[in-house]
Amino acid sequence: MQIVWAMLICLAGGQLASGTLCKTYGTIPGIPGSPGQPGSNGRDGQNGQKGARGPPGQVEHEGDMGETGDPGEPGHPGKVGPRGPPGSKGLPGPMGPPGPKGDSGDYKATLKSAFSAARTIGSYPRRDHPVRFDRIITNEKGQYENRYGRFNCRVPGIYYFTYHVTSRSNLCLRMKKGRGGSRGEKVVTFCDYVHSSYQVTTGGVVLKMAVNESVWLEPTEKNSLVGLEGSDSIFSGFLIFPEA
């Protein structure tokens, strides 16, 4: 009983009791105290060694593979790609069969154009003006105009023009080409020189003519061209090849 009281005195008496009376009974163990507050977390330890690989897992509730589904709808067309390089040239194809026989030709339908006219005027022609060959000899299709001394083309193609004229002195003639009543452009020039005697001068040229183009002869200041009975001066022309 004394021991119990002594323990109570030691618990309730404070510092004084614990310093005196409790020491008297120092050999007797006291009552265990209440648990203290948890301490703070300690520092992390070092990484441990890697463990061994575990066994492979298993699929839970694995079923059979289903059937293939229907194909989806086609997508929108893509953008047009860049143009590729040209391919190599192919081999020539075989010759085709001959075509059907054509209709018989009609020589009367062939394009024609020709003229020839003589000068009967005794006076010299005017300088830089068309020479009038007033007497018609031939005028197929009526394309030569003797009033103006011009040939007016109505059938395009390749033509030959020529002249044979008598002169009594020096003579230079230009063959000119133009449209309508224009001054035209010089194509060629022919000159012959003689004094106090008659001579025959000639010249010619091949020209490509278009519709409504004209051709004529025109003298320079050397204009001694004459038209006399028995010594004619003529201007001629005709179509060689019509335009295709």
Side-chain angles (χ1 to χ4, degrees):
M1 189 65 178
Q2 289 178 351
I3 294 172
V4 173
W5 280 109
M7 293 175 63
L8 293 174
I9 291 170
C10 288
L11 293 174
Q15 294 293 330
L16 182 60
S18 60
T20 57
L21 184 60
C22 291
K23 287 182 179 180
T24 305
Y25 302 95
T27 59
I28 301 172
I31 298 172
S34 58
Q37 296 290 332
S40 60
N41 295 334
R43 290 178 295 179
D44 293 340
Q46 297 180 354
N47 294 334
Q49 295 181 355
K50 186 177 180 179
R53 185 174 182 179
Q58 296 180 354
V59 179
E60 190 174 359
H61 304 297
E62 182 178 2
D64 298 333
M65 182 180 293
E67 297 180 357
T68 303
D70 297 332
E73 296 181 359
H76 297 292
K79 295 181 178 180
V80 178
R83 186 174 183 177
S88 57
K89 188 176 181 179
L91 298 173
M95 183 180 293
K101 186 176 180 180
D103 298 332
S104 300
D106 182 5
Y107 77 94
K108 294 181 180 180
T110 303
L111 296 176
K112 301 175 183 178
S113 179
F115 76 96
S116 188
R119 179 176 174 84
T120 62
I121 302 170
S123 60
Y124 290 169
R126 295 173 61 189
R127 174 184 175 180
D128 298 330
H129 283 73
V131 179
R132 286 185 57 202
F133 295 86
D134 54 297
R135 182 170 66 88
I136 298 293
I137 300 173
T138 301
N139 196 11
E140 186 72 25
K141 304 297 183 183
Q143 297 180 72
Y144 175 74
E145 296 181 352
N146 62 341
R147 183 178 178 183
Y148 304 105
R150 295 173 181 250
F151 168 78
N152 296 315
C153 177
R154 298 194 189 112
V155 181
I158 305 298
Y159 283 78
Y160 178 67
F161 297 97
T162 183
Y163 69 87
H164 301 266
V165 299
T166 301
S167 64
R168 192 159 48 188
S169 183
N170 296 336
L171 175 65
C172 285
L173 287 176
R174 302 188 188 103
M175 191 171 292
K176 301 187 75 173
K177 179 181 176 183
R179 288 181 178 271
S182 68
R183 298 295 299 169
E185 296 181 357
K186 180 184 70 175
V187 180
V188 289
T189 301
F190 302 93
C191 290
D192 277 306
Y193 301 95
V194 67
H195 295 283
S196 303
S197 64
Y198 288 99
Q199 71 170 356
V200 175
T201 300
T202 184
V205 67
V206 175
L207 295 178
K208 183 177 182 180
M209 300 291 293
V211 175
N212 294 328
E213 284 188 323
S214 299
V215 169
W216 65 93
L217 291 174
E218 189 175 284
T220 66
E221 72 281 0
K222 300 175 178 62
N223 60 342
S224 61
L225 186 151
V226 295
L228 302 173
E229 183 67 29
S231 184
D232 293 318
S233 295
I234 61 172
F235 179 36
S236 303
F238 56 87
L239 175 66
I240 304 175
F241 304 112
E243 189 177 85

